[in-house]
Amino acid sequence: MVLRKLPGVSASGMGLRLSQKFVFLLFLSGLVTLCFGALFFLPDSVRLKRIFLSKNESPAVTVGSDNELSKKVPVDQEHQRTGLKGVEAIVKPKVSRKPSVTHGARTVERSVGSRAQDEWSPARAHEPPARDERVTSAALNAQHGTTFSHETFKKCLLKPALGKDQGTPSDPETLKRREKVKEMMKFAWDNYKSYAWGKNELRPLTKNGHIGNMFGGLRGASIVDSLDTLYIMGLMEEYEEAKEWVQNSLDLNSNGEASLFEVNIRYVGGLLSAFYLTGAEIFKQKVLELGEKLLPAFNTPTGIPRGVINLGSGTSWSWGWASAGSSILAEFGTLHLEFVHLSQLSGNPVFTEKVMNIRKLLNKMEKPHGLYPNFLSPVSGNWVQHHVSIGGLGDSFYEYLIKSFLMSDKTDEEAKKMYYSAMEAIETNLVQKSPGGLTYVAEWRGGILDHKMGHLACFSGGMIGIGADDGPVGQKQHYLDLAAEITHTCHESYSRSATKLGPEAFRFDGGAEATATRLSDRYYILRPEVIESYMYMWRLTHDPKYREWGWEAVEALEKHCRVDAGFSGIRDVYASTVSHDNMQQSFFLSETLKYLYLLFSDDDLLSLEDWVFNTEAHPLPVVRKTCLQEHSTRPDDGQTTLE
């Protein structure tokens, strides 16, 4: 190339100027590149990433292919789910649930919110996975010289797990009703086996399987969720089929995007309970392998886990719809029971340390009026919004506080203190009485009450009931009365519908009481929460009305939800002619039918003295450390040793 000489400018001078410009442009280009790149390393720079990343680099994840709703996720746009139970269900065309936070936040299914599933776009976190924490249980056992003895564990139960006679009631009418529930379970299972085997759920109308993507590529959610239900009902042939599938076909080497909450409550909870009930080593092996895959989700500045994790790479991120990249109270607050047992079985204290760190952070934080908002930043450790709910997005956090205390053989004083302090704040700020005399728990939005109660919140009758014994002095009867009043209100939400099944949410304003006033709240997707409270209140009071209410639910399920090839949710509980949503949720087998079976059984079947139920109704045993230590001996004495 030839440089033309400009008038009055020497060749050497012009070359110098061009050289200076080139250096300046090079410097400027580097500065811009550095600033642009830094955006991707800033915590929670979700909006910026969405602007600059292409769709291929940050794919939007669709939760279902036909606008299905996740199990516990409210449908209306007001409630975003963060990690509650994540079952998906069709409520009506183009109505969809947000990913859940907890079974309401009882997780994606229970508590995620209401954003359409095709908008579910997780905001990825770029911290490297904490692979140094993925220490295998075998290595830990070798290191500590300890393993878990199932025989020793059984010695520390106060009663046989299945009771003296499998909980068989002496009353012929009650036994007949229990046998009907068992038949419903076999019918649901047989159709799942025939049309959806290995898939996550059954579509009973179209007679095919549904996978979804709430479980990160894991399959067989209905199988894992059903293991303990089949076992306690004595459906042994079906249980053996399920066990064989877990052994031969449950592949944990998936590389998809999973809800931490949903995988924990369904798969981890289901495998743990199956192991404790049966002693089958395959369940222990699988659950410890899966538990290690969940640890990288906690690799955040605060230790508060993000809601979504890739089980293969360990990369985690927050739900795309969650405010400012926040984590959901019901999701990160619904890990404690399972993770304590993962430490118990593996000898690895890291599982317990992770959930205790969450508790430590929450204890230090200032809480508005003593209440726990539903959204918290895993980066800053601050509340993101002042929305409080004992239903979706918050529910199972409170459940796990009281159950952590009970599961610790009543030694976890921190959990006890947090639970009763939270209950005091809830009673002061949220518990209301309607003009018609119904007690309900409203939602709180920055100081303004929303006089609505979700079906997910109806678990709270049972929760308050099991916590009555250990509350402040003189408060036992008060808590039992409150539990009974809330359970009665939830029964009213069932009895006031044409189908005698309850809506997803019901209101207490504008003259309405315990009735859904919005079309989007009228669906029922085989949820268990109301029946769950019936079961607990029966065991606590033995008032026969709870068994009668449970039987009403059985009759309604048979009449309106049973179809030729299974059970289906319905779109409008107030319609005399029902429209089915074509989804048999896995939690129907895990929770709804199990709670009904227990309701019509004697109290020694999974005695509440020995067992607590996780938020997916998987029974986990009370940890009696002193007893376990007393019965433990060194391996060279012929038995395994417990830490």
Side-chain angles (χ1 to χ4, degrees):
M1 180 177 71
V2 178
L3 293 176
R4 296 184 180 275
K5 184 176 179 182
L6 298 178
V9 180
S10 67
S12 60
M14 185 171 66
L16 180 61
R17 290 188 182 185
L18 287 174
S19 176
Q20 290 173 336
K21 288 181 180 180
F22 177 79
V23 171
F24 175 77
L25 289 173
L26 185 63
F27 172 79
L28 183 61
S29 174
L31 181 62
V32 171
T33 301
L34 180 63
C35 293
F36 180 84
L39 295 176
F40 293 86
F41 294 93
L42 291 173
D44 288 293
S45 54
V46 179
R47 291 181 178 84
L48 292 170
K49 292 178 188 177
R50 285 178 180 170
I51 292 172
F52 293 111
L53 284 181
S54 70
K55 290 184 179 179
N56 290 332
E57 291 171 301
S58 182
V61 180
T62 301
V63 184
S65 59
D66 40 13
N67 292 322
E68 301 162 353
L69 300 182
S70 293
K71 168 182 179 180
K72 304 243 173 188
V73 181
V75 174
D76 59 288
Q77 291 293 331
E78 299 172 8
H79 304 304
Q80 296 184 352
R81 237 183 141 178
T82 47
L84 299 182
K85 289 188 178 180
V87 172
E88 304 164 8
I90 304 172
V91 172
K92 62 179 182 177
K94 298 183 180 179
V95 176
S96 57
R97 295 174 86 185
K98 290 182 177 181
S100 83
V101 179
T102 39
H103 227 189
R106 275 185 177 192
T107 288
V108 172
E109 304 226 315
R110 291 193 173 185
S111 331
V112 169
S114 50
R115 176 169 300 185
Q117 291 176 350
D118 59 0
E119 296 179 56
W120 179 37
S121 177
R124 299 175 182 273
H126 286 270
E127 298 100 342
R131 296 192 179 275
D132 56 314
E133 292 173 345
R134 293 192 183 187
V135 183
T136 66
S137 57
L140 281 157
N141 287 333
Q143 176 183 344
H144 295 290
T146 63
T147 55
F148 180 87
S149 166
H150 192 266
E151 288 302 312
T152 298
F153 148 72
K154 289 196 295 184
K155 293 176 183 177
C156 293
L157 294 176
L158 301 180
K159 298 177 180 178
L162 300 186
K164 61 182 179 181
D165 188 23
Q166 286 72 50
T168 304
S170 57
D171 174 56
E173 182 68 16
T174 303
L175 178 58
K176 181 180 177 181
R177 292 177 172 183
R178 188 173 88 149
E179 287 300 304
K180 177 58 184 175
V181 175
K182 181 176 179 178
E183 184 276 330
M184 293 167 71
M185 178 66 187
K186 180 168 173 51
F187 178 73
W189 175 263
D190 286 347
N191 280 284
Y192 168 78
K193 179 184 175 183
S194 295
Y195 301 112
W197 187 247
K199 302 297 194 297
N200 285 325
E201 283 124 356
L202 164 69
R203 293 189 182 281
L205 299 185
T206 50
K207 298 182 180 180
N208 64 321
H210 170 254
I211 295 177
N213 54 10
M214 293 305 300
F215 307 114
L218 296 178
R219 298 290 188 266
S222 288
I223 297 175
V224 177
D225 251 354
S226 297
L227 284 164
D228 50 20
T229 307
L230 295 169
Y231 187 79
I232 68 170
M233 288 186 179
L235 293 168
M236 297 311 295
E237 181 179 341
E238 291 79 4
Y239 160 75
E240 290 295 339
E241 293 169 347
K243 177 185 174 185
E244 182 179 2
W245 185 90
V246 170
Q247 182 163 350
N248 298 327
S249 303
L250 178 56
D251 182 7
L252 301 180
N253 296 314
S254 62
N255 198 41
E257 299 162 342
S259 161
L260 172 67
F261 169 84
E262 295 293 343
V263 170
N264 178 63
I265 63 174
R266 299 192 201 210
Y267 285 86
V268 175
L271 293 168
L272 283 172
S273 65
F275 171 69
Y276 281 118
L277 287 171
T278 71
E281 281 293 313
I282 184 59
F283 300 134
K284 176 183 172 183
Q285 294 167 14
K286 290 287 187 180
V287 79
L288 293 183
E289 181 182 349
L290 180 57
E292 289 159 4
K293 290 177 177 292
L294 300 180
L295 289 174
F298 295 81
N299 193 31
T300 66
T302 60
I304 297 293
R306 299 184 188 274
V308 190
I309 182 170
N310 184 302
L311 297 174
S313 68
T315 305
S316 66
W317 59 96
S318 298
W319 296 108
W321 51 264
S323 180
S326 57
S327 296
I328 313 301
L329 180 68
E331 291 192 339
F332 65 76
T334 310
L335 303 168
H336 196 103
L337 302 183
E338 297 83 0
F339 273 52
V340 166
H341 276 290
L342 288 174
S343 282
Q344 171 94 350
L345 294 186
S346 68
N348 187 351
V350 70
F351 297 104
T352 298
E353 290 168 0
K354 294 298 185 185
V355 291
M356 290 305 295
N357 178 68
I358 295 172
R359 177 122 27 108
K360 180 180 178 181
L361 177 66
L362 291 176
N363 259 335
K364 292 191 303 182
M365 295 181 65
E366 183 178 348
K367 291 166 276 291
H369 300 281
L371 298 168
Y372 290 83
N374 292 335
F375 296 94
L376 183 138
S377 169
V379 175
S380 68
N382 296 323
W383 303 117
V384 175
Q385 290 182 359
H386 283 187
H387 171 216
V388 177
S389 171
I390 200 171
L393 304 179
D395 51 6
S396 46
F397 163 72
Y398 306 98
E399 174 189 1
Y400 271 38
L401 287 177
I402 186 59
K403 288 182 176 179
S404 293
F405 171 66
L406 296 174
M407 196 181 78
S408 72
D409 201 21
K410 299 186 177 183
T411 62
D412 188 347
E413 290 294 327
E414 185 178 55
K416 176 182 178 181
K417 181 179 179 181
M418 290 176 69
Y419 171 75
Y420 289 107
S421 295
M423 279 305 306
E424 181 180 358
I426 287 168
E427 278 205 79
T428 301
N429 296 283
L430 305 183
V431 174
Q432 304 289 306
K433 185 84 76 172
S434 75
L438 297 178
T439 300
Y440 63 98
V441 187
E443 297 189 8
W444 189 84
R445 299 176 184 278
I448 300 174
L449 286 182
D450 183 6
H451 295 274
K452 178 190 95 171
M453 191 169 177
H455 193 291
L456 291 170
C458 285
F459 86 99
S460 60
M463 176 189 73
I464 295 169
I466 62 173
D469 269 350
D470 301 289
V473 177
Q475 292 293 298
K476 177 179 178 178
Q477 192 58 48
H478 166 72
Y479 279 123
L480 283 175
D481 291 342
L482 178 60
E485 290 171 13
I486 290 174
T487 304
H488 170 70
T489 296
C490 292
H491 174 256
E492 284 295 303
S493 76
Y494 274 50
S495 64
R496 297 184 185 200
S497 75
T499 58
K500 304 305 177 187
L501 293 167
E504 179 70 4
F506 45 94
R507 305 194 68 88
F508 298 87
D509 52 15
E513 292 206 355
T515 303
T517 57
R518 300 178 182 180
L519 290 174
S520 59
D521 288 336
R522 293 185 174 188
Y523 64 92
Y524 172 71
I525 55 172
L526 308 176
R527 288 198 189 277
E529 288 77 20
V530 174
I531 293 166
E532 175 182 351
S533 285
Y534 294 167
M535 188 279 290
Y536 281 117
M537 294 307 296
W538 161 255
R539 289 216 174 172
L540 294 169
T541 69
H542 291 131
D543 187 329
K545 72 182 180 185
Y546 295 114
R547 278 183 165 171
E548 291 305 313
W549 291 354
W551 185 245
E552 290 174 7
V554 169
E555 292 180 318
L557 287 165
E558 282 284 287
K559 182 177 181 179
H560 301 293
C561 298
R562 185 166 182 150
V563 294
D564 288 344
F567 288 86
S568 171
I570 57 179
R571 294 187 173 97
D572 188 347
V573 298
Y574 300 103
S576 55
T577 302
V578 300
S579 174
H580 295 102
D581 67 11
N582 194 28
M583 183 69 74
Q584 180 176 283
Q585 308 281 354
S586 81
F587 55 80
F588 177 67
L589 290 78
S590 173
E591 300 183 73
T592 309
L593 294 177
K594 183 186 294 158
Y595 284 133
L596 283 169
Y597 190 80
L598 293 173
L599 176 63
F600 299 120
S601 297
D602 284 352
D603 294 357
D604 64 351
L605 177 59
L606 298 176
S607 168
L608 297 184
E609 295 177 86
D610 285 322
W611 301 88
V612 298
F613 294 88
N614 86 338
T615 199
E616 190 79 7
H618 294 304
L620 301 174
V622 170
V623 179
R624 297 189 170 98
K625 291 185 178 179
T626 301
C627 176
L628 292 171
Q629 291 167 355
E630 288 175 352
H631 284 87
S632 298
T633 57
R634 282 288 153 195
D636 55 9
D637 292 330
Q639 291 190 12
T640 54
T641 302
L642 291 164
E643 280 286 334

